[in-house]
Amino acid sequence: MIQAFGLTSNPRQELPPAVDDVSFEAPTGRVTALLGARASGKTTAVRLMLELQQGRGITHFRGRPLHRIPHPSREVGVLLGEVQGHPSRTVRGQLRMLCAAAGVSVRRADEVLEVVGIVSLRDQRLGMLSRGMDRRLGLACALLADPHTLVLDGPADGLSAREAKWLHGILRAHASLGGTVLFTTDDAKEAARTADRVVTLEEGRVIADQGVADFARTRLRPRVAVRSPHAARLGVLLAKEARATQRSVEVVNEDGNRLSVYGSNCADIGETAFRHSILVHQLADEVGDAGPTADILARALHRGATTAELTGAQHSSAEAVSADHANEVLPGEVLSREVLSCEALAGADAAVSQTQPIDVLHLAEPPSPDVSQAGPPAHASATPEDPHPTPRATSAVTTTPAVTTTRAVPPPSPLSLPPLPPPITIRPARSPLRPLRYEVRRATGIATGYLTAAAVLAVSAVLALLIARTGHAPQSRLLAAWPQELPLPPAALGAGLLGAFAFGDEFRHPALAADRGTVPRRLGLLCAKLVVAAATALSLAFAVVASDAMLLHLVYGEELTEVPADWLSTSASWLALVVGCAWAGVLAAGVFRSTTAGLAAVLAVPIVVVPLVQKALTGPSVRTAAGLPARLRDLALVHWPFGGERFLAAGLRMIAQPVGGALMLSVTALLCAYLLTVLRPRAQ
């Protein structure tokens, strides 16, 4: 069951809130429609329910708010707009990636494809899907974790009649299995055909909450309820005038002295009855709203009405309820309206008495002897004791034989005012339940990575041949295809670009937790992206060196492919350079939420940071760090195993190089910025 209480959006600039105190229920095993015209607040209400937008209120899904549910995607399946994903990703690849994010078996992807009937499109690209197929894929994404509740915003928008009928059948089947379904629509006929209960919104407020039978009878076809001893004669006159004026008016003769008139209004029917001297006992519009008390109370409270006016509102509401009962309104609806009017009256009375002193006039019976004995006479200055005291106010009462006048005294403190609904804050989604598997499927699901690697290999091969032709470059730069004129080799730039793509899918095409907004900056997801980026960079570095060596051996012979003497330190420096560029791209894309910013951070290392590091290292110095590895070995309690001091010395020499030092400085700064963006919201 979905229970929404007091959903209220934040006020806009000089405009009322898009949603104001919306409360309703969507029962289990039923399909509930949230109906309203465009700009009526349907989407805003759904976003407030899912904690995607700030405001006030609370929504319970089977008794718990969304942020209290350990795995929201397993409880609530959401469809908001079009499917978010990279256009080049396949349908099956998208679902398999979301399976890793939700922590469900990968076989579930094939199961939901069969449920929604798009198994034949499993290899189709997302960018090539039609509107109907996109809706089916969106429903498959919502059903992926087998949730109990479905929340769908305009699922049938833009669909043909056949596709809409199929979609409604799926929703009905989910509800029949014990699930809860809530969808929004602006088509009243669609709501009447599909839903079991219809909640109608107008200008951000709930104006009706009805069963589908009452909705179809009242709001789908608004009618005028007429009760007259001459109902048959009035019906004939109304039909005659409608034919004369060429209007579409339908008159239905109910039992006895009742009429139901469709296509007309109270003013026209009243004028007709007046012209023909027909007595009318009841004449009321029936649109299935929450009852006439709400509007009367709102107007009365706005102008500081007395309780006598509020009592009159209650009496008018009771008359309207009895009239509805005479016109065969369901007993449940009559009872709900009657209770609503009484509770609204009590709440309005409490609100008025707490805000300002008012004079209240109550018609009452003469006091009984017991009442007269309960306190001093009416002309005495003492105040009689109230047999039913209320804690919110004290009253000074003057009793007369027929009229009791009460002056309400405001409470001493505003602490007794009803509290506002709790604030709704946007809480980030949890990281993928299987982050490493998710990242691998994300990176391998599109052709961008493969095309980038192929371009890097081709450019590196051409540069290696050109450098070998000149014959002035060392062998290490020759195998890496790194000419002196370029700030970075193609392999490092390609690794940085692939790293910058790591967060591109989530920020441009949110695939993770589509019901909770953009993928957050989480440490688990970051570690998975760093591991995958490092593995990709190492593979690219080995592939570049191997392909360049084979090409040089083929073109120029064995002379240029000999293994250098310092191959260990050179290889470590090469791999560290490529991995560092990849990590810089990942961190910059995560901090700035942009693929372009990630690539810019990689290019900024040799262009901006390296000159600064060179200037700092080549400046005048009095002391140097010569002999540092030996001193570290002397300080150690035990000797380094397997010649560990040599690796330490090689690492220090690599950092001392301008490019290595600049790259390490950049990665450290980006990592600190990323951690700051993660920890700052938690600290707040």
Side-chain angles (χ1 to χ4, degrees):
M1 172 182 286
I2 302 176
Q3 296 171 306
F5 305 101
L7 299 179
T8 304
S9 61
N10 291 333
R12 299 165 291 178
Q13 296 180 356
E14 299 180 356
L15 294 174
V19 172
D20 188 5
D21 196 18
V22 171
S23 300
F24 63 91
E25 290 185 359
T28 301
R30 297 290 184 268
V31 179
T32 304
L34 196 59
L35 174 66
R38 298 190 181 276
S40 62
K42 303 186 303 296
T43 300
T44 303
V46 170
R47 293 182 64 84
L48 289 172
M49 292 170 56
L50 299 173
E51 299 177 359
L52 296 175
Q53 183 172 330
Q54 293 182 350
R56 286 195 172 274
I58 190 170
T59 303
H60 286 169
F61 298 89
R62 290 204 289 181
R64 293 182 297 174
L66 199 62
H67 61 272
R68 297 286 187 183
I69 300 175
H71 305 299
S73 60
R74 297 184 181 180
E75 176 65 28
V76 184
V78 178
L79 175 59
L80 300 176
E82 298 180 354
V83 175
Q84 297 293 328
H86 198 285
S88 299
R89 199 178 303 278
T90 63
V91 169
R92 190 182 185 189
Q94 175 82 0
L95 292 176
R96 291 167 73 93
M97 182 181 66
L98 294 180
C99 284
V104 299
S105 173
V106 70
R107 294 190 298 270
R108 181 64 181 168
D110 297 327
E111 293 176 1
V112 295
L113 285 176
E114 293 181 1
V115 170
V116 300
I118 54 174
V119 178
S120 59
L121 300 179
R122 59 179 178 269
D123 296 326
Q124 188 78 15
R125 307 291 178 181
L126 297 185
M128 303 299 292
L129 295 178
S130 63
R131 177 67 176 179
M133 296 302 103
D134 182 85
R135 295 286 87 187
R136 292 185 181 230
L137 177 59
L139 186 58
C141 295
L143 294 171
L144 194 62
D146 194 16
H148 174 271
T149 303
L150 291 180
V151 178
L152 315 173
D153 185 21
D157 292 348
L159 298 185
S160 63
R162 180 180 179 183
E163 292 171 336
K165 183 178 180 180
W166 170 87
L167 176 64
H168 297 153
I170 291 290
L171 301 184
R172 175 62 59 188
H174 184 81
S176 64
L177 295 176
T180 303
V181 178
L182 173 68
F183 73 97
T184 66
T185 180
D186 55 2
D187 187 355
K189 294 182 179 180
E190 177 189 359
R193 288 192 303 264
T194 307
D196 299 308
R197 190 160 195 85
V198 181
V199 180
T200 307
L201 293 183
E202 185 175 323
E203 297 182 354
R205 291 179 176 270
V206 176
I207 62 173
D209 188 351
Q210 309 165 280
V212 67
D214 296 333
F215 171 78
R217 181 176 56 83
T218 58
R219 297 204 64 85
L220 191 59
R221 296 186 64 197
R223 70 172 183 173
V224 178
V226 182
R227 187 172 61 180
S228 171
H230 308 287
R233 180 186 172 200
L234 180 58
V236 172
L237 293 174
L238 291 175
K240 181 179 179 181
E241 290 187 359
R243 287 193 298 269
T245 57
Q246 296 183 353
R247 291 185 302 156
S248 177
V249 176
E250 180 182 355
V251 180
V252 178
N253 292 313
E254 306 289 350
D255 294 338
N257 57 356
R258 294 192 298 270
L259 293 177
S260 294
V261 183
Y262 299 92
S264 186
N265 53 63
C266 290
D268 294 341
I269 297 174
E271 290 177 1
T272 301
F274 178 76
R275 286 196 304 267
H276 295 87
S277 301
I278 296 177
L279 178 63
V280 175
H281 290 165
Q282 180 203 6
L283 188 62
D285 284 315
E286 287 192 352
V287 291
D289 54 9
T293 307
D295 295 336
I296 298 175
L297 290 178
R299 292 193 297 269
L301 290 176
H302 179 71
R303 65 174 185 270
T306 64
T307 303
E309 294 174 347
L310 300 179
T311 307
Q314 184 188 19
H315 291 321
S316 63
S317 175
E319 293 177 359
V321 169
S322 61
D324 289 342
H325 182 67
N327 284 276
E328 297 181 353
V329 181
L330 294 179
E333 184 179 357
V334 175
L335 178 60
S336 64
R337 291 189 182 183
E338 187 174 359
V339 173
L340 175 62
S341 63
C342 295
E343 292 177 352
L345 177 62
D349 192 7
V352 172
S353 63
Q354 292 173 4
T355 54
Q356 58 183 358
I358 57 174
D359 292 331
V360 184
L361 182 64
H362 290 290
L363 297 179
E365 296 294 336
S368 62
D370 295 336
V371 176
S372 63
Q373 296 175 3
H379 60 273
S381 59
T383 302
E385 184 179 358
D386 189 0
H388 302 287
T390 56
R392 60 180 174 85
T394 58
S395 302
V397 182
T398 303
T399 306
T400 63
V403 178
T404 300
T405 303
T406 304
R407 182 176 300 276
V409 180
S413 172
L415 296 178
S416 59
L417 292 175
L420 292 173
I424 297 175
T425 57
I426 301 176
R427 295 175 174 85
R430 292 171 175 81
S431 57
L433 298 182
R434 299 172 182 173
L436 188 60
R437 186 177 302 181
Y438 162 80
E439 181 60 22
V440 169
R441 288 175 179 161
R442 184 209 61 80
T444 58
I446 56 177
T448 304
Y450 303 106
L451 295 178
T452 302
V456 168
L457 292 176
V459 173
S460 298
V462 173
L463 288 178
L465 292 177
L466 293 178
I467 296 173
R469 187 171 180 272
T470 59
H472 299 294
Q475 189 176 12
S476 59
R477 284 186 171 267
L478 181 62
L479 293 177
W482 189 1
Q484 295 285 350
E485 295 78 12
L486 293 181
L488 285 176
L493 291 175
L497 181 59
L498 292 177
F501 286 150
F503 277 105
D505 275 353
E506 286 79 17
F507 296 146
R508 290 182 301 171
H509 314 285
L512 254 182
D515 54 330
R516 306 282 290 163
T518 308
V519 173
R521 301 177 174 121
R522 293 283 179 164
L523 295 181
L525 183 61
L526 173 65
C527 293
K529 290 184 179 295
L530 292 178
V531 170
V532 173
T536 304
L538 292 176
S539 302
L540 186 61
F542 280 117
V544 166
V545 172
S547 62
D548 290 348
M550 292 178 60
L551 186 62
L552 292 174
H553 177 78
L554 179 63
V555 176
Y556 298 107
E558 299 181 356
E559 181 182 358
L560 298 179
T561 58
E562 295 180 356
V563 178
D566 57 344
W567 66 272
L568 183 60
S569 60
T570 302
S571 300
S573 300
W574 166 244
L575 297 178
L577 175 65
V578 177
V579 172
C581 288
W583 283 1
V586 171
L587 294 172
V591 171
F592 299 106
R593 295 178 176 264
S594 172
T595 303
T596 305
L599 184 59
V602 176
L603 294 176
V605 171
I607 297 175
V608 178
V609 185
V610 168
L612 296 177
V613 174
Q614 284 180 337
K615 186 176 181 180
L617 294 178
T618 58
S621 60
V622 178
R623 296 180 178 86
T624 62
L628 177 61
R631 289 192 293 273
L632 290 176
R633 184 173 62 252
D634 295 337
L635 290 176
L637 297 178
V638 295
H639 292 288
W640 293 76
F642 306 106
E645 65 276 3
R646 291 182 299 171
F647 296 101
L648 178 61
L652 293 176
R653 285 195 300 270
M654 184 169 48
I655 295 175
Q657 296 177 0
V659 176
L663 189 59
M664 183 176 181
L665 181 63
S666 300
V667 171
T668 303
L670 290 172
L671 182 60
C672 292
Y674 192 97
L675 294 177
L676 180 63
T677 59
V678 172
L679 298 178
R680 184 178 59 181
R682 298 181 181 179
Q684 293 177 350

mmCIF file of all heavy atoms in Angstrom, residues 493-512:
data_model
loop_
_atom_site.group_PDB
_atom_site.id
_atom_site.type_symbol
_atom_site.label_atom_id
_atom_site.label_comp_id
_atom_site.label_asym_id
_atom_site.label_seq_id
_atom_site.Cartn_x
_atom_site.Cartn_y
_atom_site.Cartn_z
ATOM 1 N N LEU A 493 46.991 9.474 -23.482
ATOM 2 C CA LEU A 493 45.804 10.273 -23.797
ATOM 3 C C LEU A 493 44.572 9.387 -23.976
ATOM 4 O O LEU A 493 43.471 9.731 -23.525
ATOM 5 C CB LEU A 493 46.058 11.091 -25.063
ATOM 6 C CG LEU A 493 47.074 12.233 -24.947
ATOM 7 C CD1 LEU A 493 47.305 12.882 -26.305
ATOM 8 C CD2 LEU A 493 46.594 13.268 -23.943
ATOM 9 N N GLY A 494 44.759 8.242 -24.651
ATOM 10 C CA GLY A 494 43.631 7.328 -24.820
ATOM 11 C C GLY A 494 43.145 6.761 -23.488
ATOM 12 O O GLY A 494 41.930 6.640 -23.251
ATOM 13 N N ALA A 495 44.082 6.414 -22.594
ATOM 14 C CA ALA A 495 43.677 5.920 -21.275
ATOM 15 C C ALA A 495 42.953 6.999 -20.483
ATOM 16 O O ALA A 495 41.970 6.718 -19.788
ATOM 17 C CB ALA A 495 44.908 5.432 -20.512
ATOM 18 N N GLY A 496 43.422 8.253 -20.592
ATOM 19 C CA GLY A 496 42.722 9.340 -19.915
ATOM 20 C C GLY A 496 41.329 9.562 -20.466
ATOM 21 O O GLY A 496 40.387 9.846 -19.720
ATOM 22 N N LEU A 497 41.182 9.430 -21.784
ATOM 23 C CA LEU A 497 39.862 9.585 -22.389
ATOM 24 C C LEU A 497 38.912 8.472 -21.952
ATOM 25 O O LEU A 497 37.745 8.721 -21.623
ATOM 26 C CB LEU A 497 39.995 9.603 -23.909
ATOM 27 C CG LEU A 497 38.690 9.788 -24.703
ATOM 28 C CD1 LEU A 497 38.012 11.097 -24.336
ATOM 29 C CD2 LEU A 497 38.961 9.722 -26.202
ATOM 30 N N LEU A 498 39.412 7.236 -21.916
ATOM 31 C CA LEU A 498 38.576 6.128 -21.443
ATOM 32 C C LEU A 498 38.207 6.311 -19.972
ATOM 33 O O LEU A 498 37.093 5.973 -19.550
ATOM 34 C CB LEU A 498 39.307 4.800 -21.647
ATOM 35 C CG LEU A 498 39.518 4.362 -23.105
ATOM 36 C CD1 LEU A 498 40.314 3.069 -23.155
ATOM 37 C CD2 LEU A 498 38.178 4.176 -23.805
ATOM 38 N N GLY A 499 39.128 6.847 -19.187
ATOM 39 C CA GLY A 499 38.798 7.138 -17.798
ATOM 40 C C GLY A 499 37.752 8.223 -17.668
ATOM 41 O O GLY A 499 36.872 8.162 -16.802
ATOM 42 N N ALA A 500 37.831 9.236 -18.538
ATOM 43 C CA ALA A 500 36.830 10.304 -18.496
ATOM 44 C C ALA A 500 35.452 9.804 -18.890
ATOM 45 O O ALA A 500 34.434 10.358 -18.448
ATOM 46 C CB ALA A 500 37.259 11.445 -19.423
ATOM 47 N N PHE A 501 35.392 8.743 -19.694
ATOM 48 C CA PHE A 501 34.103 8.160 -20.066
ATOM 49 C C PHE A 501 33.458 7.392 -18.914
ATOM 50 O O PHE A 501 32.290 7.015 -19.002
ATOM 51 C CB PHE A 501 34.270 7.202 -21.249
ATOM 52 C CG PHE A 501 34.497 7.904 -22.552
ATOM 53 C CD1 PHE A 501 35.254 7.313 -23.550
ATOM 54 C CD2 PHE A 501 33.958 9.151 -22.786
ATOM 55 C CE1 PHE A 501 35.465 7.964 -24.756
ATOM 56 C CE2 PHE A 501 34.165 9.802 -23.990
ATOM 57 C CZ PHE A 501 34.922 9.213 -24.974
ATOM 58 N N ALA A 502 34.207 7.148 -17.828
ATOM 59 C CA ALA A 502 33.716 6.274 -16.767
ATOM 60 C C ALA A 502 32.448 6.806 -16.127
ATOM 61 O O ALA A 502 31.550 6.037 -15.773
ATOM 62 C CB ALA A 502 34.801 6.078 -15.708
ATOM 63 N N PHE A 503 32.344 8.129 -15.935
ATOM 64 C CA PHE A 503 31.159 8.719 -15.324
ATOM 65 C C PHE A 503 30.227 9.343 -16.351
ATOM 66 O O PHE A 503 29.218 9.924 -15.971
ATOM 67 C CB PHE A 503 31.562 9.785 -14.309
ATOM 68 C CG PHE A 503 31.917 9.237 -12.966
ATOM 69 C CD1 PHE A 503 33.228 9.167 -12.552
ATOM 70 C CD2 PHE A 503 30.931 8.773 -12.110
ATOM 71 C CE1 PHE A 503 33.563 8.667 -11.307
ATOM 72 C CE2 PHE A 503 31.249 8.265 -10.872
ATOM 73 C CZ PHE A 503 32.568 8.214 -10.463
ATOM 74 N N GLY A 504 30.554 9.252 -17.608
ATOM 75 C CA GLY A 504 29.705 9.893 -18.606
ATOM 76 C C GLY A 504 28.319 9.294 -18.707
ATOM 77 O O GLY A 504 27.330 9.999 -18.865
ATOM 78 N N ASP A 505 28.229 7.969 -18.608
ATOM 79 C CA ASP A 505 26.923 7.312 -18.721
ATOM 80 C C ASP A 505 25.988 7.738 -17.607
ATOM 81 O O ASP A 505 24.812 8.000 -17.835
ATOM 82 C CB ASP A 505 27.101 5.791 -18.694
ATOM 83 C CG ASP A 505 27.413 5.242 -20.069
ATOM 84 O OD1 ASP A 505 27.354 6.034 -21.025
ATOM 85 O OD2 ASP A 505 27.731 4.056 -20.184
ATOM 86 N N GLU A 506 26.506 7.791 -16.386
ATOM 87 C CA GLU A 506 25.637 8.099 -15.258
ATOM 88 C C GLU A 506 25.169 9.551 -15.273
ATOM 89 O O GLU A 506 24.038 9.850 -14.897
ATOM 90 C CB GLU A 506 26.362 7.804 -13.939
ATOM 91 C CG GLU A 506 26.487 6.334 -13.629
ATOM 92 C CD GLU A 506 27.621 5.672 -14.405
ATOM 93 O OE1 GLU A 506 28.491 6.387 -14.931
ATOM 94 O OE2 GLU A 506 27.625 4.449 -14.482
ATOM 95 N N PHE A 507 26.025 10.476 -15.680
ATOM 96 C CA PHE A 507 25.657 11.885 -15.618
ATOM 97 C C PHE A 507 24.832 12.318 -16.826
ATOM 98 O O PHE A 507 23.957 13.165 -16.707
ATOM 99 C CB PHE A 507 26.916 12.752 -15.512
ATOM 100 C CG PHE A 507 27.686 12.510 -14.247
ATOM 101 C CD1 PHE A 507 29.057 12.588 -14.229
ATOM 102 C CD2 PHE A 507 27.025 12.191 -13.081
ATOM 103 C CE1 PHE A 507 29.760 12.375 -13.058
ATOM 104 C CE2 PHE A 507 27.720 11.967 -11.907
ATOM 105 C CZ PHE A 507 29.088 12.057 -11.894
ATOM 106 N N ARG A 508 25.085 11.766 -17.975
ATOM 107 C CA ARG A 508 24.302 12.133 -19.158
ATOM 108 C C ARG A 508 23.122 11.195 -19.374
ATOM 109 O O ARG A 508 22.047 11.626 -19.806
ATOM 110 C CB ARG A 508 25.203 12.112 -20.404
ATOM 111 C CG ARG A 508 26.223 13.225 -20.440
ATOM 112 C CD ARG A 508 27.032 13.150 -21.708
ATOM 113 N NE ARG A 508 27.719 11.858 -21.821
ATOM 114 C CZ ARG A 508 28.362 11.460 -22.913
ATOM 115 N NH1 ARG A 508 28.359 12.211 -23.982
ATOM 116 N NH2 ARG A 508 28.976 10.305 -22.940
ATOM 117 N N HIS A 509 23.322 9.911 -19.093
ATOM 118 C CA HIS A 509 22.262 8.915 -19.270
ATOM 119 C C HIS A 509 22.180 8.104 -17.987
ATOM 120 O O HIS A 509 22.752 7.020 -17.899
ATOM 121 C CB HIS A 509 22.566 7.999 -20.461
ATOM 122 C CG HIS A 509 23.009 8.726 -21.685
ATOM 123 N ND1 HIS A 509 22.142 9.435 -22.476
ATOM 124 C CD2 HIS A 509 24.236 8.868 -22.244
ATOM 125 C CE1 HIS A 509 22.814 9.974 -23.476
ATOM 126 N NE2 HIS A 509 24.079 9.640 -23.361
ATOM 127 N N PRO A 510 21.503 8.601 -16.949
ATOM 128 C CA PRO A 510 21.488 7.881 -15.660
ATOM 129 C C PRO A 510 20.921 6.478 -15.817
ATOM 130 O O PRO A 510 19.767 6.293 -16.152
ATOM 131 C CB PRO A 510 20.585 8.747 -14.773
ATOM 132 C CG PRO A 510 20.555 10.077 -15.442
ATOM 133 C CD PRO A 510 20.720 9.831 -16.898
ATOM 134 N N ALA A 511 21.756 5.511 -15.597
ATOM 135 C CA ALA A 511 21.322 4.120 -15.690
ATOM 136 C C ALA A 511 21.122 3.508 -14.323
ATOM 137 O O ALA A 511 20.319 2.604 -14.150
ATOM 138 C CB ALA A 511 22.354 3.298 -16.474
ATOM 139 N N LEU A 512 21.870 3.996 -13.349
ATOM 140 C CA LEU A 512 21.756 3.472 -12.001
ATOM 141 C C LEU A 512 20.599 4.131 -11.284
ATOM 142 O O LEU A 512 20.465 5.359 -11.311
ATOM 143 C CB LEU A 512 23.039 3.775 -11.226
ATOM 144 C CG LEU A 512 23.988 2.613 -10.982
ATOM 145 C CD1 LEU A 512 25.164 3.093 -10.168
ATOM 146 C CD2 LEU A 512 23.298 1.497 -10.265
#
